[in-house]
Amino acid sequence: MKRLFLASLFTVFALFLTGCQTTQQGPSAASRAAMLSEIANEKPGNYYIGRRYYKNDYRFWGYVRRPGQPWSSAQMVMLNENRKLAPDRDAGTLGMDNGFEYILHGNFSGDRVYEPASNGIYPEFVLTGYELRSRTPGPIFQNYAAALDPVRRVIATPF
């Protein structure tokens, strides 16, 4: 009787495991390679590339890097909107552009700004203009879906 119970338990467990599947958390090699190729072909110039990174509880804007530089070199920034409103604020819908990529015009002021919810100090970027580059850019985070979830209080860093 005990042997029959163990055999049944093992069978149920084995059937349960066959129903499980592993999901890919990180970006595919092909999408990552395409993004790196695109970065390598960016024209140098007096502009920046920005990736909106919206979280409900935080007030930073997102990551900013120089053209031709990898996302791992990007800096999380606080946006100074005295000269130009951020794209989502300009549209009247805060966070609607989470994950979008922009060509940003402006510069780093040299000041650093405290963001209380993350207890972080971030460089200030003075925005003077922007152009939407992509609504669906390549992945820059290891776990892209979790990184872009505006409710999760985790600050992912690009790789």
Side-chain angles (χ1 to χ4, degrees), residues 27 29 33 36 40 43 53 57-59 78 85-86 92 94 100 120 124 126-127 130 133 138 156-157:
L36 292 174
K43 291 182 176 27
Y53 189 70
D57 297 328
Y58 302 128
R59 299 298 169 241
M78 296 292 286
L85 290 177
L94 194 62
F100 288 15
E124 178 184 58
V126 180
L127 184 67
Y130 63 85
R133 185 173 179 185
T157 54

Side-chain angles (χ1 to χ4, degrees), residues 47-52 61 64 77-90 97 102-109 123-132:
Y47 68 97
Y48 293 85
I49 307 298
R51 185 71 69 94
R52 180 67 162 118
W61 181 81
V64 174
V77 301
M78 296 292 286
L79 212 56
N80 178 325
E81 300 175 77
N82 288 336
R83 296 184 62 193
K84 178 70 176 167
L85 290 177
D88 59 338
R89 196 180 315 276
D90 208 11
D97 59 347
Y102 294 93
I103 293 174
L104 301 178
H105 302 284
N107 55 40
F108 285 93
S109 69
E124 178 184 58
F125 187 85
V126 180
L127 184 67
T128 60
Y130 63 85
E131 303 163 42
L132 179 62

Side-chain angles (χ1 to χ4, degrees), residues 1-140:
M1 181 73 146
K2 187 176 178 184
R3 195 173 236 192
L4 180 61
F5 174 75
L6 287 175
S8 298
L9 186 62
F10 178 76
T11 303
V12 168
F13 183 71
L15 289 172
F16 174 75
L17 285 180
T18 60
C20 296
Q21 80 179 46
T22 303
T23 58
Q24 182 178 354
Q25 297 274 335
S28 72
S31 65
R32 182 94 175 129
M35 183 185 62
L36 292 174
S37 174
E38 185 176 307
I39 289 172
N41 290 319
E42 291 171 344
K43 291 182 176 27
N46 190 21
Y47 68 97
Y48 293 85
I49 307 298
R51 185 71 69 94
R52 180 67 162 118
Y53 189 70
Y54 178 77
K55 295 288 185 175
N56 291 343
D57 297 328
Y58 302 128
R59 299 298 169 241
F60 43 64
W61 181 81
Y63 287 99
V64 174
R65 65 174 176 80
R66 279 288 196 184
Q69 297 297 309
W71 279 107
S72 59
S73 71
Q75 298 180 71
M76 175 70 78
V77 301
M78 296 292 286
L79 212 56
N80 178 325
E81 300 175 77
N82 288 336
R83 296 184 62 193
K84 178 70 176 167
L85 290 177
D88 59 338
R89 196 180 315 276
D90 208 11
T93 312
L94 194 62
M96 63 77 175
D97 59 347
N98 188 29
F100 288 15
E101 190 167 288
Y102 294 93
I103 293 174
L104 301 178
H105 302 284
N107 55 40
F108 285 93
S109 69
D111 290 338
R112 298 185 64 75
V113 180
Y114 177 66
E115 197 288 313
S118 66
N119 195 30
I121 299 174
Y122 304 100
E124 178 184 58
F125 187 85
V126 180
L127 184 67
T128 60
Y130 63 85
E131 303 163 42
L132 179 62
R133 185 173 179 185
S134 177
R135 292 177 187 270
T136 56
I140 63 171

